Amino acid sequence: MPSKKRRRKEERPKIHPKNKYSDNPPDFALLASLYPSFKPFVFYSREGRPKIDWTDFNATRELTRVLLLHDHGLDWWIPDGQLCPTVPNRSNYIHWIEDLLSSDIIPKTNSNGDNVRGFDIGTGANCIYPLLGASLLGWSFVASDVTDVALEWAERNVKSNQHVSELIEIRKVKCSQNTHTPEVLNNTESTCSEEGEGLPSSSFHMPESKDKRYHGPPILVNVVRDGEKFDFCMCNPPFFESIEEAGLNPKTSCGGTHEEMVCPGGEKAFITCIIEDSAVLKQSFRWYTSMVGRKVNLKFLIAKLREVGVTIVKTTEFVQGQTCRWGLAWSFVPPTKKIIAPHVTEKNIISFMLEGLQRQFGAVQVLQSVESFFHAVGASCKSNASTFTVDITASTDHCNVLLRNEVKHHDEVASCSNVQEASPNLCFRVSVFQQIPGTLLIKGSLQHRDSPLSGLFSSIIQQLEDALRSKFCREKANF
């Protein structure tokens, strides 16, 4: 039992070390003693621990208000029904962007010296990211939104804080005739879940909209003006495909209008549109970023980024209490140095560890899954149970299907035996090695380094790694 607790503690990502709340989480008792308006919302558990009712929107809103005032010197308010952000979680996102900007992954192209300029997509009535970024780090922002209520209250929150008001521009997004405004899509408001800010647990059935494409107002293209340059953009996208889905997990209330919570296709469609806009704007931004609510969407979005030809992709996990979010960042700026993934030891050999395997799974089951993974797209597979290896031969079409994450039945894809001899193939071996109980080493070895497809080898092994982790490992987030 102690080993399980120790493993769980080691696997749990931490709040960003620069976050004001990393070592000192909000003290509800202290805040209640200092702010009488917050006191009615605080009660005590049997153990004497101060708590608030996370299902009470008024309580969560008042907590955000006093935290912004007490810890950041910001006067802030939002009307009923608007999305109420959690300050520690939003601070994580700000500090991650700070890390990206200060890194030497891509060259600094800012002609304004140390003046950092950001773009907040869909700032909402709360305008939380510009307020935090300006007050904590002195960044300037353009904050966009489409609804009158969001624009009015974002402007109020900016003007209420004269010490940062000159740093923040609120920009109205103008809808074209070919797009549907949020009001046309739906005017309903929702109450969503707690710390997850609306994200239901995986046990709920997720209703899906028929149209997975984004048809809403402009996001970046036609909002960013000609000649404008930014160091980054950031976004807390609408996570859900329907208002019913947004209300599935009523653990707590963070408010949230339909415009803030829902769009056809959910976050996957919305972030895909940001990616497509970024392919047009290219180096108008040093970094494009977005928060992602569901880990399962990351693989699709990263594949989409490969399609548009980005130079670098970075991911992270944001943690606050029991809430997890993921951050996705990409750039079209050429990197300052060649980036080599940490699990690549040689150009023709790539290995990774499968840790935390469930007891019923071992090398045999993993080897069978490796064979099934490649066989599903029609690749030729020859396994050897005695040496725990699988030899794979994949055509260009097979590789493209894998990298698009569109695994089909093998009958739908031509097998390697039917491929013309002149067609290039990618040949490699996957070996499975037992390490310690619950841990396997998976090694991919490229057989012909001069193949025209050898450049795809690393990405294909990464897809295999993701699939095996998803199937065999305990829930674990390493980004």
Side-chain angles (χ1 to χ4, degrees), residues 269-302:
F270 194 91
I271 300 172
T272 296
C273 188
I274 299 177
I275 293 172
E276 292 169 350
D277 280 3
S278 74
V280 175
L281 296 171
K282 293 288 179 73
Q283 296 186 33
S284 295
F285 292 77
R286 286 184 63 211
W287 287 102
Y288 296 87
T289 78
S290 180
M291 190 180 286
V292 180
R294 292 187 180 133
K295 181 182 175 184
V296 68
N297 287 333
L298 277 175
K299 182 185 292 186
F300 171 87
L301 295 170
I302 292 172

PDB file of all heavy atoms in Angstrom, residues 269-302:
ATOM      1  N   ALA A 269     -13.102  21.544 -32.543  1.00  0.00           N
ATOM      2  CA  ALA A 269     -13.386  22.365 -33.717  1.00  0.00           C
ATOM      3  C   ALA A 269     -12.862  23.781 -33.538  1.00  0.00           C
ATOM      4  O   ALA A 269     -12.315  24.378 -34.472  1.00  0.00           O
ATOM      5  CB  ALA A 269     -14.891  22.384 -33.992  1.00  0.00           C
ATOM      6  N   PHE A 270     -13.025  24.324 -32.346  1.00  0.00           N
ATOM      7  CA  PHE A 270     -12.612  25.708 -32.093  1.00  0.00           C
ATOM      8  C   PHE A 270     -11.090  25.846 -32.210  1.00  0.00           C
ATOM      9  O   PHE A 270     -10.574  26.748 -32.873  1.00  0.00           O
ATOM     10  CB  PHE A 270     -13.086  26.146 -30.709  1.00  0.00           C
ATOM     11  CG  PHE A 270     -13.008  27.634 -30.486  1.00  0.00           C
ATOM     12  CD1 PHE A 270     -14.080  28.456 -30.784  1.00  0.00           C
ATOM     13  CD2 PHE A 270     -11.860  28.215 -29.973  1.00  0.00           C
ATOM     14  CE1 PHE A 270     -14.023  29.825 -30.578  1.00  0.00           C
ATOM     15  CE2 PHE A 270     -11.775  29.581 -29.762  1.00  0.00           C
ATOM     16  CZ  PHE A 270     -12.877  30.395 -30.066  1.00  0.00           C
ATOM     17  N   ILE A 271     -10.354  24.943 -31.566  1.00  0.00           N
ATOM     18  CA  ILE A 271      -8.892  25.023 -31.613  1.00  0.00           C
ATOM     19  C   ILE A 271      -8.382  24.701 -33.015  1.00  0.00           C
ATOM     20  O   ILE A 271      -7.378  25.262 -33.464  1.00  0.00           O
ATOM     21  CB  ILE A 271      -8.266  24.090 -30.557  1.00  0.00           C
ATOM     22  CG1 ILE A 271      -8.729  24.503 -29.148  1.00  0.00           C
ATOM     23  CG2 ILE A 271      -6.741  24.137 -30.621  1.00  0.00           C
ATOM     24  CD1 ILE A 271      -8.327  23.535 -28.049  1.00  0.00           C
ATOM     25  N   THR A 272      -9.074  23.806 -33.728  1.00  0.00           N
ATOM     26  CA  THR A 272      -8.707  23.543 -35.123  1.00  0.00           C
ATOM     27  C   THR A 272      -8.787  24.819 -35.945  1.00  0.00           C
ATOM     28  O   THR A 272      -7.929  25.081 -36.797  1.00  0.00           O
ATOM     29  CB  THR A 272      -9.622  22.459 -35.725  1.00  0.00           C
ATOM     30  OG1 THR A 272      -9.411  21.226 -35.036  1.00  0.00           O
ATOM     31  CG2 THR A 272      -9.333  22.252 -37.206  1.00  0.00           C
ATOM     32  N   CYS A 273      -9.800  25.637 -35.676  1.00  0.00           N
ATOM     33  CA  CYS A 273      -9.929  26.909 -36.386  1.00  0.00           C
ATOM     34  C   CYS A 273      -8.769  27.852 -36.034  1.00  0.00           C
ATOM     35  O   CYS A 273      -8.252  28.559 -36.906  1.00  0.00           O
ATOM     36  CB  CYS A 273     -11.266  27.559 -36.056  1.00  0.00           C
ATOM     37  SG  CYS A 273     -11.622  29.023 -37.056  1.00  0.00           S
ATOM     38  N   ILE A 274      -8.352  27.852 -34.765  1.00  0.00           N
ATOM     39  CA  ILE A 274      -7.183  28.659 -34.380  1.00  0.00           C
ATOM     40  C   ILE A 274      -5.950  28.188 -35.150  1.00  0.00           C
ATOM     41  O   ILE A 274      -5.149  28.988 -35.645  1.00  0.00           O
ATOM     42  CB  ILE A 274      -6.927  28.579 -32.868  1.00  0.00           C
ATOM     43  CG1 ILE A 274      -8.122  29.127 -32.073  1.00  0.00           C
ATOM     44  CG2 ILE A 274      -5.662  29.351 -32.488  1.00  0.00           C
ATOM     45  CD1 ILE A 274      -7.961  29.011 -30.562  1.00  0.00           C
ATOM     46  N   ILE A 275      -5.801  26.864 -35.256  1.00  0.00           N
ATOM     47  CA  ILE A 275      -4.655  26.305 -35.992  1.00  0.00           C
ATOM     48  C   ILE A 275      -4.700  26.752 -37.450  1.00  0.00           C
ATOM     49  O   ILE A 275      -3.681  27.157 -38.030  1.00  0.00           O
ATOM     50  CB  ILE A 275      -4.646  24.771 -35.875  1.00  0.00           C
ATOM     51  CG1 ILE A 275      -4.364  24.348 -34.426  1.00  0.00           C
ATOM     52  CG2 ILE A 275      -3.616  24.161 -36.829  1.00  0.00           C
ATOM     53  CD1 ILE A 275      -4.524  22.863 -34.171  1.00  0.00           C
ATOM     54  N   GLU A 276      -5.873  26.683 -38.064  1.00  0.00           N
ATOM     55  CA  GLU A 276      -6.002  27.095 -39.456  1.00  0.00           C
ATOM     56  C   GLU A 276      -5.721  28.587 -39.622  1.00  0.00           C
ATOM     57  O   GLU A 276      -5.084  29.008 -40.597  1.00  0.00           O
ATOM     58  CB  GLU A 276      -7.401  26.737 -39.963  1.00  0.00           C
ATOM     59  CG  GLU A 276      -7.614  25.228 -40.079  1.00  0.00           C
ATOM     60  CD  GLU A 276      -9.065  24.842 -40.317  1.00  0.00           C
ATOM     61  OE1 GLU A 276      -9.941  25.744 -40.191  1.00  0.00           O
ATOM     62  OE2 GLU A 276      -9.336  23.666 -40.617  1.00  0.00           O
ATOM     63  N   ASP A 277      -6.181  29.400 -38.683  1.00  0.00           N
ATOM     64  CA  ASP A 277      -5.874  30.836 -38.718  1.00  0.00           C
ATOM     65  C   ASP A 277      -4.371  31.082 -38.559  1.00  0.00           C
ATOM     66  O   ASP A 277      -3.794  31.953 -39.209  1.00  0.00           O
ATOM     67  CB  ASP A 277      -6.631  31.569 -37.605  1.00  0.00           C
ATOM     68  CG  ASP A 277      -8.084  31.835 -37.971  1.00  0.00           C
ATOM     69  OD1 ASP A 277      -8.518  31.412 -39.059  1.00  0.00           O
ATOM     70  OD2 ASP A 277      -8.796  32.472 -37.171  1.00  0.00           O
ATOM     71  N   SER A 278      -3.743  30.288 -37.695  1.00  0.00           N
ATOM     72  CA  SER A 278      -2.311  30.470 -37.475  1.00  0.00           C
ATOM     73  C   SER A 278      -1.515  30.152 -38.733  1.00  0.00           C
ATOM     74  O   SER A 278      -0.464  30.747 -38.983  1.00  0.00           O
ATOM     75  CB  SER A 278      -1.834  29.596 -36.297  1.00  0.00           C
ATOM     76  OG  SER A 278      -1.757  28.214 -36.650  1.00  0.00           O
ATOM     77  N   ALA A 279      -2.017  29.206 -39.537  1.00  0.00           N
ATOM     78  CA  ALA A 279      -1.330  28.872 -40.789  1.00  0.00           C
ATOM     79  C   ALA A 279      -1.403  30.019 -41.783  1.00  0.00           C
ATOM     80  O   ALA A 279      -0.575  30.094 -42.705  1.00  0.00           O
ATOM     81  CB  ALA A 279      -1.943  27.607 -41.399  1.00  0.00           C
ATOM     82  N   VAL A 280      -2.369  30.915 -41.611  1.00  0.00           N
ATOM     83  CA  VAL A 280      -2.479  32.107 -42.455  1.00  0.00           C
ATOM     84  C   VAL A 280      -1.598  33.225 -41.910  1.00  0.00           C
ATOM     85  O   VAL A 280      -0.858  33.887 -42.637  1.00  0.00           O
ATOM     86  CB  VAL A 280      -3.947  32.579 -42.539  1.00  0.00           C
ATOM     87  CG1 VAL A 280      -4.040  33.889 -43.318  1.00  0.00           C
ATOM     88  CG2 VAL A 280      -4.811  31.507 -43.178  1.00  0.00           C
ATOM     89  N   LEU A 281      -1.658  33.425 -40.599  1.00  0.00           N
ATOM     90  CA  LEU A 281      -0.935  34.542 -39.970  1.00  0.00           C
ATOM     91  C   LEU A 281       0.536  34.234 -39.725  1.00  0.00           C
ATOM     92  O   LEU A 281       1.341  35.149 -39.542  1.00  0.00           O
ATOM     93  CB  LEU A 281      -1.624  34.913 -38.651  1.00  0.00           C
ATOM     94  CG  LEU A 281      -3.054  35.436 -38.794  1.00  0.00           C
ATOM     95  CD1 LEU A 281      -3.707  35.558 -37.422  1.00  0.00           C
ATOM     96  CD2 LEU A 281      -3.075  36.772 -39.513  1.00  0.00           C
ATOM     97  N   LYS A 282       0.860  32.945 -39.642  1.00  0.00           N
ATOM     98  CA  LYS A 282       2.236  32.470 -39.474  1.00  0.00           C
ATOM     99  C   LYS A 282       2.993  33.231 -38.381  1.00  0.00           C
ATOM    100  O   LYS A 282       2.634  33.171 -37.210  1.00  0.00           O
ATOM    101  CB  LYS A 282       2.996  32.532 -40.805  1.00  0.00           C
ATOM    102  CG  LYS A 282       2.489  31.559 -41.854  1.00  0.00           C
ATOM    103  CD  LYS A 282       2.872  30.128 -41.509  1.00  0.00           C
ATOM    104  CE  LYS A 282       2.348  29.138 -42.534  1.00  0.00           C
ATOM    105  NZ  LYS A 282       3.070  29.177 -43.813  1.00  0.00           N
ATOM    106  N   GLN A 283       4.010  33.986 -38.757  1.00  0.00           N
ATOM    107  CA  GLN A 283       4.893  34.610 -37.777  1.00  0.00           C
ATOM    108  C   GLN A 283       4.391  35.962 -37.264  1.00  0.00           C
ATOM    109  O   GLN A 283       5.154  36.719 -36.673  1.00  0.00           O
ATOM    110  CB  GLN A 283       6.298  34.727 -38.353  1.00  0.00           C
ATOM    111  CG  GLN A 283       6.948  33.380 -38.630  1.00  0.00           C
ATOM    112  CD  GLN A 283       8.402  33.478 -39.072  1.00  0.00           C
ATOM    113  OE1 GLN A 283       9.133  34.366 -38.635  1.00  0.00           O
ATOM    114  NE2 GLN A 283       8.830  32.556 -39.929  1.00  0.00           N
ATOM    115  N   SER A 284       3.104  36.233 -37.447  1.00  0.00           N
ATOM    116  CA  SER A 284       2.506  37.397 -36.780  1.00  0.00           C
ATOM    117  C   SER A 284       2.516  37.195 -35.266  1.00  0.00           C
ATOM    118  O   SER A 284       2.431  38.156 -34.506  1.00  0.00           O
ATOM    119  CB  SER A 284       1.069  37.619 -37.261  1.00  0.00           C
ATOM    120  OG  SER A 284       1.038  37.952 -38.633  1.00  0.00           O
ATOM    121  N   PHE A 285       2.602  35.928 -34.846  1.00  0.00           N
ATOM    122  CA  PHE A 285       2.714  35.566 -33.438  1.00  0.00           C
ATOM    123  C   PHE A 285       3.966  34.714 -33.265  1.00  0.00           C
ATOM    124  O   PHE A 285       4.236  33.834 -34.096  1.00  0.00           O
ATOM    125  CB  PHE A 285       1.506  34.754 -32.969  1.00  0.00           C
ATOM    126  CG  PHE A 285       0.214  35.515 -32.916  1.00  0.00           C
ATOM    127  CD1 PHE A 285      -0.500  35.784 -34.078  1.00  0.00           C
ATOM    128  CD2 PHE A 285      -0.300  35.941 -31.708  1.00  0.00           C
ATOM    129  CE1 PHE A 285      -1.692  36.472 -34.045  1.00  0.00           C
ATOM    130  CE2 PHE A 285      -1.504  36.625 -31.656  1.00  0.00           C
ATOM    131  CZ  PHE A 285      -2.203  36.895 -32.824  1.00  0.00           C
ATOM    132  N   ARG A 286       4.707  34.936 -32.188  1.00  0.00           N
ATOM    133  CA  ARG A 286       5.809  34.034 -31.874  1.00  0.00           C
ATOM    134  C   ARG A 286       5.260  32.692 -31.424  1.00  0.00           C
ATOM    135  O   ARG A 286       5.714  31.642 -31.858  1.00  0.00           O
ATOM    136  CB  ARG A 286       6.706  34.620 -30.777  1.00  0.00           C
ATOM    137  CG  ARG A 286       7.610  35.756 -31.227  1.00  0.00           C
ATOM    138  CD  ARG A 286       8.520  36.187 -30.086  1.00  0.00           C
ATOM    139  NE  ARG A 286       9.399  35.098 -29.685  1.00  0.00           N
ATOM    140  CZ  ARG A 286       9.848  34.911 -28.442  1.00  0.00           C
ATOM    141  NH1 ARG A 286       9.476  35.732 -27.464  1.00  0.00           N
ATOM    142  NH2 ARG A 286      10.655  33.908 -28.165  1.00  0.00           N
ATOM    143  N   TRP A 287       4.285  32.729 -30.547  1.00  0.00           N
ATOM    144  CA  TRP A 287       3.677  31.513 -30.015  1.00  0.00           C
ATOM    145  C   TRP A 287       2.155  31.606 -30.145  1.00  0.00           C
ATOM    146  O   TRP A 287       1.566  32.609 -29.778  1.00  0.00           O
ATOM    147  CB  TRP A 287       4.028  31.304 -28.539  1.00  0.00           C
ATOM    148  CG  TRP A 287       5.432  30.873 -28.281  1.00  0.00           C
ATOM    149  CD1 TRP A 287       6.464  31.647 -27.850  1.00  0.00           C
ATOM    150  CD2 TRP A 287       5.957  29.545 -28.409  1.00  0.00           C
ATOM    151  NE1 TRP A 287       7.602  30.900 -27.713  1.00  0.00           N
ATOM    152  CE2 TRP A 287       7.327  29.606 -28.045  1.00  0.00           C
ATOM    153  CE3 TRP A 287       5.417  28.326 -28.799  1.00  0.00           C
ATOM    154  CZ2 TRP A 287       8.143  28.486 -28.060  1.00  0.00           C
ATOM    155  CZ3 TRP A 287       6.244  27.208 -28.815  1.00  0.00           C
ATOM    156  CH2 TRP A 287       7.579  27.291 -28.447  1.00  0.00           C
ATOM    157  N   TYR A 288       1.551  30.541 -30.631  1.00  0.00           N
ATOM    158  CA  TYR A 288       0.110  30.355 -30.570  1.00  0.00           C
ATOM    159  C   TYR A 288      -0.152  29.349 -29.450  1.00  0.00           C
ATOM    160  O   TYR A 288       0.520  28.318 -29.375  1.00  0.00           O
ATOM    161  CB  TYR A 288      -0.432  29.796 -31.880  1.00  0.00           C
ATOM    162  CG  TYR A 288      -0.273  30.715 -33.066  1.00  0.00           C
ATOM    163  CD1 TYR A 288       0.909  30.698 -33.825  1.00  0.00           C
ATOM    164  CD2 TYR A 288      -1.279  31.591 -33.438  1.00  0.00           C
ATOM    165  CE1 TYR A 288       1.067  31.537 -34.922  1.00  0.00           C
ATOM    166  CE2 TYR A 288      -1.133  32.429 -34.536  1.00  0.00           C
ATOM    167  CZ  TYR A 288       0.038  32.397 -35.274  1.00  0.00           C
ATOM    168  OH  TYR A 288       0.196  33.238 -36.355  1.00  0.00           O
ATOM    169  N   THR A 289      -1.109  29.631 -28.583  1.00  0.00           N
ATOM    170  CA  THR A 289      -1.388  28.702 -27.488  1.00  0.00           C
ATOM    171  C   THR A 289      -2.887  28.579 -27.260  1.00  0.00           C
ATOM    172  O   THR A 289      -3.656  29.472 -27.619  1.00  0.00           O
ATOM    173  CB  THR A 289      -0.736  29.140 -26.156  1.00  0.00           C
ATOM    174  OG1 THR A 289      -1.520  30.187 -25.549  1.00  0.00           O
ATOM    175  CG2 THR A 289       0.691  29.628 -26.359  1.00  0.00           C
ATOM    176  N   SER A 290      -3.285  27.491 -26.654  1.00  0.00           N
ATOM    177  CA  SER A 290      -4.670  27.313 -26.216  1.00  0.00           C
ATOM    178  C   SER A 290      -4.709  26.347 -25.047  1.00  0.00           C
ATOM    179  O   SER A 290      -3.878  25.448 -24.948  1.00  0.00           O
ATOM    180  CB  SER A 290      -5.544  26.775 -27.349  1.00  0.00           C
ATOM    181  OG  SER A 290      -6.894  26.600 -26.915  1.00  0.00           O
ATOM    182  N   MET A 291      -5.676  26.541 -24.191  1.00  0.00           N
ATOM    183  CA  MET A 291      -5.957  25.546 -23.162  1.00  0.00           C
ATOM    184  C   MET A 291      -6.791  24.441 -23.801  1.00  0.00           C
ATOM    185  O   MET A 291      -7.595  24.684 -24.700  1.00  0.00           O
ATOM    186  CB  MET A 291      -6.711  26.186 -21.992  1.00  0.00           C
ATOM    187  CG  MET A 291      -6.839  25.290 -20.778  1.00  0.00           C
ATOM    188  SD  MET A 291      -7.731  26.088 -19.400  1.00  0.00           S
ATOM    189  CE  MET A 291      -6.476  27.232 -18.836  1.00  0.00           C
ATOM    190  N   VAL A 292      -6.598  23.221 -23.343  1.00  0.00           N
ATOM    191  CA  VAL A 292      -7.344  22.064 -23.833  1.00  0.00           C
ATOM    192  C   VAL A 292      -7.989  21.381 -22.632  1.00  0.00           C
ATOM    193  O   VAL A 292      -7.313  21.085 -21.650  1.00  0.00           O
ATOM    194  CB  VAL A 292      -6.422  21.076 -24.591  1.00  0.00           C
ATOM    195  CG1 VAL A 292      -7.219  19.886 -25.101  1.00  0.00           C
ATOM    196  CG2 VAL A 292      -5.710  21.786 -25.743  1.00  0.00           C
ATOM    197  N   GLY A 293      -9.275  21.126 -22.712  1.00  0.00           N
ATOM    198  CA  GLY A 293      -9.990  20.553 -21.576  1.00  0.00           C
ATOM    199  C   GLY A 293      -9.955  19.044 -21.511  1.00  0.00           C
ATOM    200  O   GLY A 293     -10.118  18.460 -20.447  1.00  0.00           O
ATOM    201  N   ARG A 294      -9.736  18.401 -22.667  1.00  0.00           N
ATOM    202  CA  ARG A 294      -9.758  16.938 -22.716  1.00  0.00           C
ATOM    203  C   ARG A 294      -8.463  16.415 -23.309  1.00  0.00           C
ATOM    204  O   ARG A 294      -8.106  16.719 -24.443  1.00  0.00           O
ATOM    205  CB  ARG A 294     -10.949  16.445 -23.538  1.00  0.00           C
ATOM    206  CG  ARG A 294     -12.272  16.745 -22.862  1.00  0.00           C
ATOM    207  CD  ARG A 294     -13.411  16.095 -23.606  1.00  0.00           C
ATOM    208  NE  ARG A 294     -14.659  16.398 -22.927  1.00  0.00           N
ATOM    209  CZ  ARG A 294     -15.757  16.827 -23.535  1.00  0.00           C
ATOM    210  NH1 ARG A 294     -15.759  16.986 -24.828  1.00  0.00           N
ATOM    211  NH2 ARG A 294     -16.853  17.093 -22.837  1.00  0.00           N
ATOM    212  N   LYS A 295      -7.804  15.598 -22.553  1.00  0.00           N
ATOM    213  CA  LYS A 295      -6.527  15.031 -22.992  1.00  0.00           C
ATOM    214  C   LYS A 295      -6.669  14.274 -24.306  1.00  0.00           C
ATOM    215  O   LYS A 295      -5.762  14.289 -25.147  1.00  0.00           O
ATOM    216  CB  LYS A 295      -5.994  14.118 -21.889  1.00  0.00           C
ATOM    217  CG  LYS A 295      -4.653  13.478 -22.187  1.00  0.00           C
ATOM    218  CD  LYS A 295      -4.259  12.564 -21.036  1.00  0.00           C
ATOM    219  CE  LYS A 295      -2.985  11.803 -21.333  1.00  0.00           C
ATOM    220  NZ  LYS A 295      -2.651  10.850 -20.254  1.00  0.00           N
ATOM    221  N   VAL A 296      -7.818  13.636 -24.508  1.00  0.00           N
ATOM    222  CA  VAL A 296      -8.022  12.812 -25.697  1.00  0.00           C
ATOM    223  C   VAL A 296      -7.946  13.647 -26.971  1.00  0.00           C
ATOM    224  O   VAL A 296      -7.637  13.123 -28.043  1.00  0.00           O
ATOM    225  CB  VAL A 296      -9.381  12.082 -25.607  1.00  0.00           C
ATOM    226  CG1 VAL A 296     -10.544  13.054 -25.713  1.00  0.00           C
ATOM    227  CG2 VAL A 296      -9.494  10.994 -26.667  1.00  0.00           C
ATOM    228  N   ASN A 297      -8.190  14.956 -26.889  1.00  0.00           N
ATOM    229  CA  ASN A 297      -8.159  15.810 -28.080  1.00  0.00           C
ATOM    230  C   ASN A 297      -6.745  16.208 -28.492  1.00  0.00           C
ATOM    231  O   ASN A 297      -6.533  16.692 -29.610  1.00  0.00           O
ATOM    232  CB  ASN A 297      -8.989  17.071 -27.847  1.00  0.00           C
ATOM    233  CG  ASN A 297     -10.478  16.787 -27.856  1.00  0.00           C
ATOM    234  OD1 ASN A 297     -10.937  15.830 -28.488  1.00  0.00           O
ATOM    235  ND2 ASN A 297     -11.247  17.601 -27.157  1.00  0.00           N
ATOM    236  N   LEU A 298      -5.782  16.044 -27.602  1.00  0.00           N
ATOM    237  CA  LEU A 298      -4.428  16.498 -27.902  1.00  0.00           C
ATOM    238  C   LEU A 298      -3.842  15.798 -29.126  1.00  0.00           C
ATOM    239  O   LEU A 298      -3.198  16.429 -29.971  1.00  0.00           O
ATOM    240  CB  LEU A 298      -3.515  16.281 -26.693  1.00  0.00           C
ATOM    241  CG  LEU A 298      -3.543  17.359 -25.613  1.00  0.00           C
ATOM    242  CD1 LEU A 298      -2.676  16.933 -24.436  1.00  0.00           C
ATOM    243  CD2 LEU A 298      -3.072  18.701 -26.155  1.00  0.00           C
ATOM    244  N   LYS A 299      -4.039  14.496 -29.233  1.00  0.00           N
ATOM    245  CA  LYS A 299      -3.440  13.750 -30.341  1.00  0.00           C
ATOM    246  C   LYS A 299      -3.956  14.267 -31.679  1.00  0.00           C
ATOM    247  O   LYS A 299      -3.183  14.492 -32.617  1.00  0.00           O
ATOM    248  CB  LYS A 299      -3.738  12.264 -30.199  1.00  0.00           C
ATOM    249  CG  LYS A 299      -3.101  11.415 -31.287  1.00  0.00           C
ATOM    250  CD  LYS A 299      -3.504   9.960 -31.194  1.00  0.00           C
ATOM    251  CE  LYS A 299      -2.933   9.295 -29.970  1.00  0.00           C
ATOM    252  NZ  LYS A 299      -3.208   7.842 -29.951  1.00  0.00           N
ATOM    253  N   PHE A 300      -5.267  14.480 -31.769  1.00  0.00           N
ATOM    254  CA  PHE A 300      -5.852  15.003 -33.002  1.00  0.00           C
ATOM    255  C   PHE A 300      -5.290  16.382 -33.331  1.00  0.00           C
ATOM    256  O   PHE A 300      -4.925  16.671 -34.483  1.00  0.00           O
ATOM    257  CB  PHE A 300      -7.378  15.084 -32.866  1.00  0.00           C
ATOM    258  CG  PHE A 300      -8.052  15.820 -33.998  1.00  0.00           C
ATOM    259  CD1 PHE A 300      -8.415  15.152 -35.157  1.00  0.00           C
ATOM    260  CD2 PHE A 300      -8.305  17.186 -33.910  1.00  0.00           C
ATOM    261  CE1 PHE A 300      -9.025  15.834 -36.206  1.00  0.00           C
ATOM    262  CE2 PHE A 300      -8.908  17.877 -34.951  1.00  0.00           C
ATOM    263  CZ  PHE A 300      -9.269  17.192 -36.101  1.00  0.00           C
ATOM    264  N   LEU A 301      -5.212  17.258 -32.330  1.00  0.00           N
ATOM    265  CA  LEU A 301      -4.752  18.627 -32.563  1.00  0.00           C
ATOM    266  C   LEU A 301      -3.276  18.670 -32.951  1.00  0.00           C
ATOM    267  O   LEU A 301      -2.871  19.457 -33.814  1.00  0.00           O
ATOM    268  CB  LEU A 301      -5.007  19.471 -31.316  1.00  0.00           C
ATOM    269  CG  LEU A 301      -6.488  19.664 -30.956  1.00  0.00           C
ATOM    270  CD1 LEU A 301      -6.639  20.297 -29.579  1.00  0.00           C
ATOM    271  CD2 LEU A 301      -7.182  20.514 -32.018  1.00  0.00           C
ATOM    272  N   ILE A 302      -2.459  17.820 -32.333  1.00  0.00           N
ATOM    273  CA  ILE A 302      -1.040  17.775 -32.684  1.00  0.00           C
ATOM    274  C   ILE A 302      -0.870  17.269 -34.115  1.00  0.00           C
ATOM    275  O   ILE A 302      -0.019  17.771 -34.867  1.00  0.00           O
ATOM    276  CB  ILE A 302      -0.262  16.902 -31.683  1.00  0.00           C
ATOM    277  CG1 ILE A 302      -0.229  17.587 -30.306  1.00  0.00           C
ATOM    278  CG2 ILE A 302       1.154  16.628 -32.178  1.00  0.00           C
ATOM    279  CD1 ILE A 302       0.348  16.730 -29.203  1.00  0.00           C
TER     280      ILE A 302
END
